[in-house]
């Protein structure tokens, strides 16, 4: 059978999902199609599975399933997999009634994310954010079970909050639920996760002078924003012995180098080379080297 293009696939995939919803006994879920601006991935075709009178709407992306279809997966299997994932998610996640939803009462669900502002310019037009160093921005997500929902300008307006207040709350909550870690780079590469020493712990031994370090969260996922957690910059200055360079290696982690041992020209070339050859496009954070000087992040 000839392979469908993505437009035909989308229509067939939606029909398959609707059939699976009937089969699974969840016909009340409505599928809403919309163009979604996703951090680092640009504009995607999102399918929102919405239950009546609920704000919780898991979103699946047609492009993700089209790639699986192109790899040889059967359309019916993909529809079944999609619906099963949605039903599991809604079953384990906490449903939030739309009429009662208030960000101020759900701040424990907020999470902060650091993204590149240039590659996400379309997203930032409708997303409350805090710019840092011109080409970086902090945004916020709400979490519910396994699902993530971007906090949009519309949602924030309904809550009566301003962007600075939102990001501050998201950073504080992230620092509690996505704890910061600082590893010696060699230790991070060569050791098992449970064998690595988190240098931010008070009982950690002093790092070897002159090495490179990895800053992230315990999951090593969307951890670049850790740099802006409350109290983190002073802690890093203490551990690293002063100012330090920041290599924005990806949205998941940062590489830190003590300023008195790093060559900025060499570090900038390392960053550009990694972005060209190692880091996937959706994980690229920035192409500029930074310096954390006296608690402030500035271009190097």
């Amino acid at each position: 059978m000839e392979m469908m293009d993505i437009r035909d696939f989308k229509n067939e995939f939606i029909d398959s999902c609707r059939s699976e919803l009937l089969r699974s006994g969840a016909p009340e879920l409505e599928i809403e199609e919309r163009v979604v601006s996703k951090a680092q991935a640009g504009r995607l075709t999102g399918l929102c599975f919405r239950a009546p009178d609920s704000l919780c709407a898991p979103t699946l992306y047609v492009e993700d399933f089209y790639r699986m279809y192109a790899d040889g997966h059967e359309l019916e299997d993909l529809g079944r997999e999609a619906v099963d994932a949605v039903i599991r998610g809604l079953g384990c996640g906490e449903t939030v009634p739309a009429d009662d939803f208030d960000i101020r009462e759900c701040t424990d669900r907020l999470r902060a994310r650091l993204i590149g502002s240039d590659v996400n310019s379309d997203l930032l037009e409708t997303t409350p954010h805090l710019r840092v160093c011109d080409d970086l921005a902090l945004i916020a997500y709400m979490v519910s079970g396994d699902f993530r929902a971007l906090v949009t300008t519309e949602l924030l307006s309904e809550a009566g909050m301003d962007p600075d207040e939102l990001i501050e709350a998201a950073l504080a909550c992230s620092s509690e639920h996505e704890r910061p870690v600082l590893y010696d780079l060699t230790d991070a590469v060569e050791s098992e996760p449970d064998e690595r020493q988190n240098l931010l712990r008070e009982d950690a031994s002093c790092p070897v002078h002159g090495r490179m370090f990895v800053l992230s969260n315990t999951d090593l996922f969307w951890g670049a924003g850790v740099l802006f957690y409350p109290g983190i910059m002073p802690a890093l200055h203490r551990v690293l012995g002063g100012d330090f360079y920041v290599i924005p290696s990806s949205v998941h982690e940062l590489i830190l180098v003590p300023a008195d041992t790093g060559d900025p020209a060499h570090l900038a070339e390392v960053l550009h080379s990694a972005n060209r050859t190692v880091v996937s496009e959706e994980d690229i954070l920035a192409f500029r080297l930074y310096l954390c000087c006296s608690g402030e992040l500035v271009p190097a």
Side-chain angles (χ1 to χ4, degrees):
M1 180 181 297
E2 183 178 355
M3 180 175 169
M4 291 181 283
D5 62 23
I6 191 167
R7 289 176 297 181
D8 290 338
F9 172 81
K10 178 189 70 175
N11 295 330
E12 294 290 336
F13 180 62
I14 292 175
D15 287 343
S16 177
C17 288
R18 289 198 173 108
S19 297
E20 287 299 323
L21 287 174
L22 290 172
R23 182 193 62 80
S24 65
E28 72 280 1
L29 290 180
E30 299 178 355
I31 302 177
E32 301 175 3
E33 179 185 345
R34 62 181 61 181
V35 176
V36 179
S37 292
K38 191 177 180 185
Q40 302 300 116
R43 300 172 71 82
L44 302 176
T45 304
L47 301 180
C48 300
F49 292 73
R50 188 177 299 280
D53 302 320
S54 174
L55 185 73
C56 186
T59 300
L60 304 178
Y61 299 99
V62 172
E63 288 79 2
D64 292 339
F65 286 88
Y66 185 70
R67 282 192 291 270
M68 289 187 280
Y69 166 71
D71 287 339
H73 292 264
E74 295 292 333
L75 178 63
E76 290 184 0
D77 292 339
L78 293 176
R80 185 176 303 110
E81 179 180 338
V83 168
D84 287 348
V86 167
I87 292 175
R88 285 198 308 271
L90 288 173
C92 70
E94 187 175 347
T95 301
V96 186
D99 292 340
D100 298 332
F101 181 73
D102 187 343
I103 291 179
R104 292 181 182 277
E105 297 178 359
C106 303
T107 54
D108 60 316
R109 297 181 183 176
L110 286 172
R111 301 292 186 270
R113 299 289 182 255
L114 184 66
I115 63 175
S117 57
D118 292 339
V119 297
N120 292 286
S121 57
D122 289 344
L123 177 76
L124 295 180
E125 289 181 1
T126 57
T127 303
H129 58 278
L130 176 65
R131 284 186 180 267
V132 288
C133 283
D134 295 330
D135 53 357
L136 296 175
L138 287 160
I139 59 176
Y141 278 80
M142 296 290 291
V143 301
S144 179
D146 292 331
F147 295 100
R148 305 289 183 267
L150 181 68
V151 178
T152 62
T153 300
E154 180 182 3
L155 190 59
L156 188 66
S157 177
E158 293 174 358
M161 296 176 70
D162 60 55
D164 289 352
E165 185 181 2
L166 170 70
I167 300 304
E168 181 181 356
L171 287 169
C173 190
S174 293
S175 69
E176 294 182 13
H177 296 279
E178 299 176 344
R179 303 292 296 175
V181 295
L182 180 71
Y183 298 134
D184 178 279
L185 179 59
T186 301
D187 190 25
V189 172
E190 297 181 354
S191 303
E192 295 297 325
D194 57 354
E195 297 175 350
R196 300 167 185 163
Q197 178 182 211
N198 183 3
L199 299 173
L200 292 174
R201 291 174 55 95
E202 292 184 359
D203 59 351
S205 58
C206 294
V208 177
H209 186 67
R211 289 192 176 184
M212 304 175 83
F213 304 89
V214 178
L215 177 69
S216 187
N217 55 35
T218 49
D219 293 330
L220 300 179
F221 183 73
W222 279 103
V226 165
L227 183 63
F228 298 94
Y229 281 6
I232 281 295
M233 285 193 185
L236 293 171
H237 276 84
R238 183 178 65 254
V239 173
L240 301 182
D243 297 340
F244 53 89
Y245 290 108
V246 178
I247 303 175
S249 51
S250 83
V251 296
H252 303 302
E253 78 285 316
L254 304 173
I255 305 298
L256 310 184
V257 181
D260 58 355
T261 64
D263 176 357
H266 173 68
L267 296 178
E269 178 54 35
V270 168
L271 171 63
H272 280 266
S273 176
N275 279 344
R276 290 193 306 267
T277 61
V278 179
V279 183
S280 61
E281 184 176 355
E282 63 268 22
D283 289 342
I284 290 177
L285 179 56
F287 286 87
R288 177 185 295 183
L289 180 71
Y290 303 95
L291 175 67
C292 196
C293 180
S294 302
E296 183 180 359
L297 192 68
V298 296

